[in-house]
Amino acid sequence: MESQSQSQSLASSSRNPSQLSWMNLSRNLLLAYQSFGVVYGDLSTSPLYVYTSTFKGKLKDHHDEETIFGVFSLIFWTITLIPLLKYVFIILSANDNGEGGTFALYSLLCRHAKFNLLPNQQAADEELSSYKYGPSSQTGGASSPLKMFLEKHKRLRTVLLVVVLFGACMVIGDGVLSPAISVLASVSGLKVTITKFNNGELVLLACVILVGMFALQHCGTHRIAFMFAPIVIIWLLSIFIIGIYNTILWNPKIVFAISPHYIIQFFIKTGTEGWISLGGILLCITGAEAMFADLGHFTATSIRLAFAVVIYPCLVMQYMGQAAFLSKNLDSIQNSFYDSIPEPVFWPVFVIATLAAIVGSQASITATFSIIKQCHALDCFPRVKVVHTSKHMFGQIYIPEINWILMVLTLAVTIGFQDTTLIGNAYGLACMTVMFVTTFLMALVIVFVWQKSIVIATLFLLFFWVVEAVYLSAAFLKVHQGGWVPLVLSFFFLVVMYVWHYGIRRKYKYDLHNKVSLKWLLGLGPSLGIVRVPGIGLIYSELATGIPAIFTHFVTNLPAFHKVLVFVCVKSVPVPHVSPEERFLIGRACPRPFRMYRCIVRYGYKDIKRDDGEFENHLIQSIMEFIQMEAVEPQFSSSDSSSFDARMAVIGTRSLESTPTLIASEQEDVDIDESIPSSRSITLRRLQSTIEDENPQVRRRRVKFQVPNNPGLDNAVKEEILDLIQAKEAGIAYIMGHSYVKARKSSSFLKKIVIDMGYSFLRKNCRGPAVALNIPHISLIEVGMIYYV
């Protein structure tokens, strides 16, 4: 996405402002069109079940015109205050470089205050172009005490992380419940047809539709958006026209119910029963959170445009039309939507409603993929396979394991409840909890990121928390009627996330406290006291500084090591994307004669951490450029061995063909170059090439490097580059730790359960780090280590 946006910005610099504004408008209109098929399907299908869920239960004794007017007034002001005012006008402005969701807000907070529990951030990370946000990082005087208070107390930072994870778990709950209620509500229209389908047949039909819908997810958001967007648009036009028709035909006085006066009259008449019925009314805003969670697939402008111009008026008119119909047809409350459809257009609307319900599930499924990816990138979820479904939009992903887990859970909920009212109780609780957490995080963003007064943040928090707390309290009263489902699901995923994050933190702290002293390494001399074999050894570690314990463990058991060593750290930074120009940090781990380097590969929480086949070549290219830069830059001339980790340079990865230090060609066109001297025999090099040719899955593009023809280069620099090229020709080995994490014997019983059972089970059953990074198995060396944390 970054490269695409950069090329667009360069191309647009020569255009006049009117052309730029027209291009931006066209792009936003196209994205707004696509957003109908991804973001708004769930929100736009809520008229299928809102009135039925509201009146089924405590309001069964209040089926009269005055109560219906009050319910519509509540629906109108709920849609106006939460989706329109809170999300469209306020929260969408708090996006993290175009990304949304609870983790986007959390990453913003981590960049402006020390809330991150994993201490692997470096000063160089703050120089990333996407790290900057809004004003300077200096907070106002009013918020400084609050910031210092939160940063000082680790338990408060842990509570903040748990709150964020709980909100993320509720989003996953949405991904389970949204498809179930949408599809089941849409097929319920068959109850009013001549054939009169029974519940078992409707559930079977709904399950078939759900299986087909989840099977389509591998196609990717881009294809699904173009395929589904026309369906949602037709659906919105249909309910808009039907709403106008019912309003004019049955009761035009419903327009006056927009007044909040009818809300007051509603609660005066219904009392506690009216308050409990709010658990059904809040279903009118289910799916609103997707506007923010799915923001990375689109733009804030396109989301605002689609909602304000199309979604909002269509929904208001449909709810108004249903209320007008129900006020004159009180017997139709149990199946209000389908009974309100004029008979001549019933079947077309039924087909569109079923298709729209399928689309409606897409928003929560897409949001679930996004939130799982963000959790995984910030070390809060076990490693899973992430498939990038678009070459242009990095936010569009597909996670096979999560997709099938969601499908099984959704089918279980559909078969288990077989009732949209019970599923609606669970769905409403999940959605309102996510909104409650988002409001809290947004208040912190107003203070720490936007640097506004605490008074403004408090007013925002209190206003929306009061509104949402009323709905949330009504939803909690229905825990025993289906509301327990999202709580159980969230508790399960929360335990998984926190146990994984806790294990990662303990393992990182063990590495940090047991890293090798640089003085010990320097005392061995350039030969390290062992045989230096030809080739390059890439030692993977989670440490961004220092020599990892895995190095001494390897040297202790095998008295030989590669001539060139590169300590590689692949880490996430709290930004959505890191551009290729800023991805690599290159430096030395030891003085020049040791031929030991450090490479930190930085990814954002929306980037995909994997070797695309060019990593080796980009790494060698970056080290060569660093060696040349070091010879001319004065800041790298210090001989102080203790400052190696502080002297690292950002080396941008460029197209290999455009680099003067090498000649690039495809793998099958490159033979073993016998003219380049190498301590590894030609026979061994040819054997490695033969093995690679016989295993297409490990085939990687070969690049032949050459020493730059620059008369100004120092002889020592040329010699070092030549050693690097010779090592590259000899072969590259990936060295990773195969770790076993165990709790110390002195640990508490709870810690032993968490580490020895929970974390160990998750590590054994998730994807290995080598598989997740797409490291070729033929070049992998794993070093067994036991971590006693």
Side-chain angles (χ1 to χ4, degrees):
M1 189 193 304
E2 293 90 356
S3 59
Q4 184 187 27
S5 60
Q6 288 172 0
S7 62
Q8 287 176 345
S9 61
L10 291 173
S12 62
S13 60
S14 60
R15 298 185 176 94
N16 57 48
S18 61
Q19 287 178 315
L20 290 176
S21 60
W22 172 250
M23 287 180 60
N24 289 332
L25 178 61
S26 301
R27 179 172 178 267
N28 284 319
L29 286 175
L30 177 62
L31 290 174
Y33 166 78
Q34 293 184 22
S35 70
F36 289 115
V38 175
V39 177
Y40 295 114
D42 189 11
L43 190 62
S44 64
T45 55
S46 55
L48 288 168
Y49 45 78
V50 169
Y51 280 108
T52 301
S53 299
T54 302
F55 282 97
K56 191 174 183 179
K58 294 295 183 180
L59 286 185
K60 61 184 177 181
D61 298 328
H62 297 279
H63 291 181
D64 53 69
E65 182 175 309
E66 186 178 359
T67 304
I68 291 171
F69 274 42
V71 169
F72 167 69
S73 187
L74 277 167
I75 291 174
F76 172 79
W77 284 105
T78 303
I79 295 176
T80 302
L81 289 178
I82 296 182
L84 185 63
L85 178 60
K86 175 186 167 183
Y87 279 97
V88 171
F89 288 112
I90 300 177
I91 291 188
L92 285 179
S93 301
N95 63 84
D96 183 10
N97 293 283
E99 299 297 332
T102 52
F103 266 92
L105 297 178
Y106 182 66
S107 70
L108 283 176
L109 293 172
C110 289
R111 299 213 297 269
H112 289 78
K114 298 177 181 179
F115 293 156
N116 199 339
L117 294 176
L118 196 63
N120 65 345
Q121 304 303 315
Q122 300 171 281
D125 297 337
E126 300 180 9
E127 300 175 2
L128 291 168
S129 58
S130 57
Y131 202 93
K132 305 293 187 297
Y133 183 96
S136 64
S137 59
Q138 296 294 329
T139 57
S143 62
S144 294
L146 177 61
K147 177 182 176 183
M148 293 173 61
F149 178 76
L150 292 175
E151 290 178 346
K152 182 180 179 181
H153 294 81
K154 182 181 177 182
R155 290 186 178 180
L156 292 178
R157 289 184 283 132
T158 304
V159 169
L160 178 62
L161 176 65
V162 171
V163 169
V164 172
L165 293 179
F166 184 66
C169 293
M170 281 295 181
V171 173
I172 299 174
D174 289 349
V176 173
L177 298 169
S178 175
I181 189 173
S182 299
V183 174
L184 198 56
S186 66
V187 299
S188 65
L190 293 174
K191 289 182 179 180
V192 301
T193 60
I194 300 176
T195 52
K196 300 288 184 182
F197 282 69
N198 58 43
N199 280 343
E201 293 170 335
L202 292 178
V203 170
L204 178 61
L205 177 60
C207 290
V208 171
I209 294 174
L210 287 170
V211 171
M213 182 192 63
F214 279 102
L216 278 177
Q217 295 302 313
H218 73 280
C219 296
T221 308
H222 181 71
R223 294 185 181 91
I224 292 174
F226 267 104
M227 182 170 58
F228 284 172
I231 297 172
V232 177
I233 292 175
I234 295 173
W235 163 254
L236 289 168
L237 291 176
S238 301
I239 63 175
F240 180 75
I241 294 171
I242 292 173
I244 294 177
Y245 172 82
N246 286 331
T247 300
I248 296 174
L249 177 65
W250 295 105
N251 196 349
K253 292 181 180 180
I254 190 65
V255 175
F256 297 108
I258 292 176
S259 171
H261 168 75
Y262 286 87
I263 297 178
I264 299 173
Q265 294 298 319
F266 171 80
F267 284 113
I268 291 175
K269 180 180 179 181
T270 59
T272 304
E273 295 171 349
W275 169 50
I276 296 175
S277 71
L278 293 177
I281 292 175
L282 67 84
L283 294 176
C284 70
I285 56 173
T286 52
E289 180 68 21
M291 287 193 291
F292 188 50
D294 289 335
L295 183 60
H297 298 249
F298 307 98
T299 63
T301 303
S302 63
I303 297 289
R304 290 189 175 110
L305 192 65
F307 184 84
V309 176
V310 181
I311 301 294
Y312 181 74
C314 288
L315 287 179
V316 169
M317 189 54 63
Q318 167 57 208
Y319 285 118
M320 183 184 295
Q322 267 197 72
F325 171 80
L326 290 177
S327 66
K328 302 301 181 182
N329 299 272
L330 299 176
D331 296 334
S332 298
I333 286 179
Q334 295 302 319
N335 203 16
S336 60
F337 176 78
Y338 283 110
D339 283 348
S340 68
I341 299 174
E343 187 174 347
V345 295
F346 174 84
W347 282 109
V349 173
F350 170 77
V351 173
I352 293 297
T354 304
L355 294 175
I358 298 173
V359 179
S361 310
Q362 186 60 39
S364 55
I365 294 173
T366 305
T368 301
F369 290 158
S370 298
I371 206 74
I372 290 291
K373 173 66 183 72
Q374 294 176 22
C375 293
H376 168 241
L378 297 178
D379 295 316
C380 294
F381 200 85
R383 290 178 293 268
V384 291
K385 181 179 181 180
V386 179
V387 179
H388 202 169
T389 59
S390 173
K391 296 180 180 179
H392 307 292
M393 298 290 287
F394 286 140
Q396 298 185 0
I397 57 174
Y398 165 68
I399 305 179
E401 294 96 330
I402 299 301
N403 183 64
W404 303 124
I405 291 174
L406 288 180
M407 186 189 76
V408 172
L409 293 175
T410 301
L411 292 175
V413 168
T414 305
I415 297 171
F417 286 119
Q418 302 184 13
D419 185 2
T420 56
T421 302
L422 294 177
I423 301 175
N425 294 338
Y427 190 30
L429 177 60
C431 289
M432 193 51 64
T433 304
V434 174
M435 294 178 183
F436 204 72
V437 171
T438 302
T439 301
F440 170 68
L441 295 176
M442 185 64 207
L444 295 180
V445 168
I446 292 174
V447 176
F448 296 121
V449 182
W450 288 0
Q451 300 177 15
K452 302 296 182 182
S453 168
I454 294 182
V455 176
I456 296 176
T458 303
L459 290 175
F460 170 85
L461 184 67
L462 290 179
F463 177 77
F464 286 107
W465 258 15
V466 167
V467 175
E468 292 167 354
V470 174
Y471 283 105
L472 191 60
S473 61
F476 267 109
L477 291 175
K478 298 183 177 181
V479 169
H480 64 288
Q481 298 177 340
W484 57 269
V485 173
L487 295 178
V488 171
L489 289 176
S490 298
F491 177 76
F492 173 76
F493 281 106
L494 180 62
V495 169
V496 169
M497 289 182 181
Y498 190 78
V499 166
W500 181 262
H501 188 70
Y502 179 77
I504 290 290
R505 280 184 5 234
R506 302 306 302 180
K507 182 174 178 292
Y508 182 84
K509 289 181 179 179
Y510 179 92
D511 279 332
L512 202 61
H513 293 147
N514 292 275
K515 61 183 180 181
V516 181
S517 168
L518 189 59
K519 291 183 179 180
W520 173 83
L521 194 61
L522 295 175
L524 295 178
S527 68
L528 300 180
I530 56 177
V531 178
R532 300 296 293 269
V533 299
I536 298 178
L538 303 183
I539 305 173
Y540 278 76
S541 167
E542 295 175 359
L543 288 178
T545 59
I547 308 300
I550 182 180
F551 177 77
T552 54
H553 198 68
F554 189 92
V555 170
T556 303
N557 291 277
L558 186 66
F561 220 88
H562 298 85
K563 187 175 183 180
V564 175
L565 300 178
V566 184
F567 295 98
V568 180
C569 171
V570 180
K571 74 171 189 175
S572 294
V573 288
V575 298
H577 300 289
V578 177
S579 65
E581 292 76 16
E582 300 175 302
R583 193 172 305 284
F584 284 170
L585 266 177
I586 302 293
R588 290 190 184 276
C590 287
R592 175 176 292 178
F594 287 74
R595 301 294 192 257
M596 298 175 67
Y597 309 93
R598 183 178 306 282
C599 173
I600 299 176
V601 191
R602 301 177 293 183
Y603 291 92
Y605 58 79
K606 297 290 282 188
D607 293 325
I608 295 181
K609 293 182 187 176
R610 63 185 289 114
D611 180 1
D612 59 359
E614 296 286 2
F615 175 76
E616 297 175 357
N617 300 322
H618 283 310
L619 178 62
I620 303 302
Q621 172 195 358
S622 300
I623 295 176
M624 291 173 68
E625 291 186 15
F626 171 79
I627 293 171
Q628 298 175 68
M629 178 192 299
E630 185 186 38
V632 297
E633 296 290 342
Q635 65 265 31
F636 293 107
S637 60
S638 173
S639 59
D640 183 10
S641 62
S642 63
S643 62
F644 281 118
D645 285 325
R647 290 184 280 133
M648 301 190 72
V650 178
I651 307 294
T653 59
R654 299 171 292 171
S655 172
L656 295 173
E657 287 80 357
S658 65
T659 308
T661 58
L662 53 87
I663 301 173
S665 56
E666 297 300 327
Q667 176 172 353
E668 46 267 25
D669 297 331
V670 178
D671 296 322
I672 299 300
D673 192 348
E674 303 179 12
S675 63
I676 297 180
S678 173
S679 54
R680 175 175 287 192
S681 68
I682 296 174
T683 304
L684 287 177
R685 291 154 66 189
R686 284 178 172 169
L687 177 61
Q688 182 184 19
S689 177
T690 303
I691 295 174
E692 291 177 355
D693 290 339
E694 292 176 353
N695 295 270
Q697 66 273 18
V698 301
R699 266 191 171 183
R700 308 169 82 77
R701 185 186 180 199
R702 285 194 205 153
V703 172
K704 186 168 64 176
F705 290 83
Q706 64 182 13
V707 179
N709 187 18
N710 185 354
L713 278 183
D714 184 71
N715 288 332
V717 174
K718 290 184 177 180
E719 181 183 353
E720 185 174 7
I721 293 177
L722 182 60
D723 286 346
L724 187 64
I725 294 174
Q726 291 177 2
K728 168 67 169 63
E729 290 295 321
I732 296 179
Y734 295 79
I735 301 160
M736 304 187 75
H738 189 81
S739 56
Y740 298 89
V741 182
K742 296 183 178 181
R744 294 191 183 98
K745 292 183 178 180
S746 59
S747 301
S748 64
F749 178 72
L750 179 61
K751 184 177 179 181
K752 289 180 179 179
I753 292 178
V754 170
I755 296 296
D756 295 344
M757 297 179 62
Y759 183 70
S760 297
F761 175 80
L762 293 176
R763 280 184 62 87
K764 290 177 182 177
N765 291 276
C766 73
R767 293 166 66 84
V771 177
L773 293 172
N774 198 30
I775 291 175
H777 187 70
I778 194 174
S779 304
L780 178 64
I781 300 175
E782 289 189 309
V783 182
M785 285 193 66
I786 298 179
Y787 289 76
Y788 289 100
V789 299

